Amino acid sequence: MSRKMKLALFFMVMLLPASLHATFEVESVLKTDMDAAILDVTTNPAEELVFVLTSGEVLIYSSSDQVVLDRIPVEKQFDRIAYQDPDRLVLTAAEPSRINIIRFSRIYDIDLSGRAVKGLRDAKVTLVVFDDYQ
């Protein structure tokens, strides 16, 4: 780069107006005390989920409700976690060198009291149909 070009670039940077400085709003989305040491964290922003890897388990937090939704038991040697696709977590370990990709599914409890039911009310599997007859 020529000396004139360097000098012009230097003056452009030095003479930029002060109005280009930005400010940021900060909001705490999830703040909680943990019972175990946190090894790694990953998120699913679309569903407002935070996956916290601790020794031997993954805690699934709801950032909107500020509660633990579930716990996934994992082997204790895993020390890193990453979110992949809408239903997979990638766990890795340095010693021994290991990877584990786990698939998870959300299961919703639906209150059927007062609703029309065909079959046993306490069946292991329930199919729910949402229809709008307008």
Side-chain angles (χ1 to χ4, degrees):
M1 189 184 290
S2 72
R3 185 170 187 240
K4 288 182 182 179
M5 187 88 109
K6 288 180 185 177
L7 192 57
L9 184 61
F10 173 77
F11 280 115
M12 282 178 27
V13 170
M14 294 305 291
L15 298 176
L16 284 176
S19 63
L20 292 179
H21 296 285
T23 60
F24 295 91
E25 279 188 28
V26 178
E27 173 188 7
S28 178
V29 177
L30 176 66
K31 187 176 183 179
T32 186
D33 294 325
M34 300 292 296
D35 296 333
I38 298 172
L39 302 175
D40 201 7
V41 176
T42 190
T43 63
N44 173 350
E47 293 190 40
E48 297 184 342
L49 298 177
V50 178
F51 301 92
V52 180
L53 177 63
T54 64
S55 180
E57 67 181 354
V58 175
L59 304 175
I60 305 174
Y61 276 92
S62 166
S63 60
S64 59
D65 297 333
Q66 302 283 312
V67 296
V68 176
L69 298 175
D70 207 352
R71 298 169 185 266
I72 302 172
V74 297
E75 297 171 40
K76 290 189 177 197
Q77 72 264 18
F78 290 112
D79 54 6
R80 301 284 314 231
I81 188 170
Y83 178 77
Q84 178 191 29
D85 295 329
D87 63 347
R88 291 189 181 136
L89 294 172
V90 179
L91 302 167
T92 58
E95 291 293 328
S97 184
R98 184 172 288 176
I99 185 170
N100 185 13
I101 299 174
I102 57 176
R103 183 177 305 166
F104 64 93
S105 299
R106 273 187 108 164
I107 299 172
Y108 297 91
D109 289 327
I110 299 173
D111 183 16
L112 298 177
S113 58
R115 307 279 188 229
V117 175
K118 183 176 182 179
L120 300 175
R121 285 193 172 274
D122 60 346
K124 291 184 178 182
V125 176
T126 304
L127 299 178
V128 178
V129 178
F130 295 94
D131 283 330
D132 187 3
Y133 298 107
Q134 288 187 9

